[in-house]
Amino acid sequence: MTMDLSPLMQSLGYHFKDEALLRHALIHPSFSNENGDPREASNQRLEFLGDAVLELSSSIFLYNVKPVMQEGAMTKIRASLVCEPTLAIAARKLSLGKYIILGKGEQREGINLRDSVLSDAFEAVIGAIYLDGGYEAAKKFVTDTVLTDIENASLYHDAKTVLQEYCSREKIALVYNVLEETGPCHDRYYRIQAMLSGRQYGTGEGSSKKKAEQGAAYQTLLKIKADTGHVFKIY
């Protein structure tokens, strides 16, 4: 399990004093399971820690936003900022997926490119940075990677509703098509695409059709905004 992590640390904007922490953050449960390692050998505990650091950092950030927001708006936007698709987008910008250490079976399936795996590893990296460099280092990483595009990220929470309202107002036919449905009943994976008047738009994925449709709606809103300059009300 030797891998040069220097390029990744450059992308992260943080150099680990203890590279073993970063390596630990990249170990998917499938690898530790396959090798008969204890469950704590995977990145799940670091993910748990990173999730807490992420919530605190984003909460403080939103508290200090001007003009001030009410609690309800802050809760909605925080949920969007720390959700799986938003974190997966941040992880892809860092090329995190190619460093995730998977079991051999999962490698063949391209699991490292799924939103759920990317977001879990991303949170684990936050946890690793916290242990290696303290809260300020972890907060800076979160600010630089997650909180840089609050306006777009904030669209996720109500994406399906916002898109439906937009399509109704513009008299556009909206349909969600299932592109992929795989996995056993207890671990389903869906990939769904939003179609607007027959045109292909955003694609989303998740462990349920609802999650995948939400992701597809979110990606569609971002594309509409980029193509037309339309501003969607988020709070």
Side-chain angles (χ1 to χ4, degrees), residues 33-156:
N33 291 342
E34 193 174 273
N35 286 275
D37 296 328
R39 295 186 67 179
E40 58 267 25
S42 77
N43 63 5
Q44 290 178 314
R45 280 163 49 84
L46 281 174
E47 175 200 340
F48 172 82
L49 180 60
D51 176 68
V53 175
L54 176 62
E55 286 245 347
L56 177 61
S57 301
S58 56
S59 297
I60 293 172
F61 177 85
L62 291 172
Y63 183 83
N64 290 323
V65 165
K66 304 295 182 190
V68 298
M69 299 180 197
Q70 295 302 310
E71 185 268 345
M74 290 167 67
T75 299
K76 274 190 175 184
I77 294 175
R78 183 180 63 188
S80 294
L81 289 170
V82 304
C83 72
E84 190 175 281
T86 302
L87 298 183
I89 289 171
R92 288 189 179 97
K93 289 179 181 177
L94 301 170
S95 299
L96 188 60
K98 69 180 184 179
Y99 294 96
I100 296 173
I101 302 165
L102 297 166
K104 291 179 181 177
E106 305 287 12
Q107 288 174 2
R108 290 195 298 272
E109 299 296 328
I111 300 297
N112 61 314
L113 301 179
R114 290 187 178 179
D115 282 5
S116 57
V117 174
L118 286 169
S119 62
D120 287 351
F122 187 85
E123 288 184 327
V125 168
I126 295 173
I129 292 175
Y130 172 78
L131 291 178
D132 190 72
Y135 175 68
E136 288 302 320
K139 183 180 75 171
K140 183 180 185 305
F141 174 72
V142 170
T143 301
D144 292 346
T145 57
V146 180
L147 305 178
T148 54
D149 195 7
I150 181 174
E151 184 178 340
N152 281 343
S154 300
L155 287 171
Y156 180 79

Side-chain angles (χ1 to χ4, degrees), residues 159-175:
K160 281 189 70 176
T161 300
V162 172
L163 180 60
Q164 183 62 59
E165 290 174 350
Y166 172 82
C167 290
S168 296
R169 190 167 58 249
E170 300 295 324
K171 295 180 171 51
I172 296 171
L174 169 63
V175 177

Side-chain angles (χ1 to χ4, degrees), residues 36 196 216:
L196 271 59

Side-chain angles (χ1 to χ4, degrees), residues 6 17 23 35 46 58 61 76 91 110 112 119 173 181 186 195 205 231:
S6 299
K17 297 183 285 292
R23 199 174 302 277
N35 286 275
L46 281 174
S58 56
F61 177 85
K76 274 190 175 184
N112 61 314
S119 62
E181 181 178 347
H186 67 278
M195 304 284 291
E205 60 182 68
V231 176

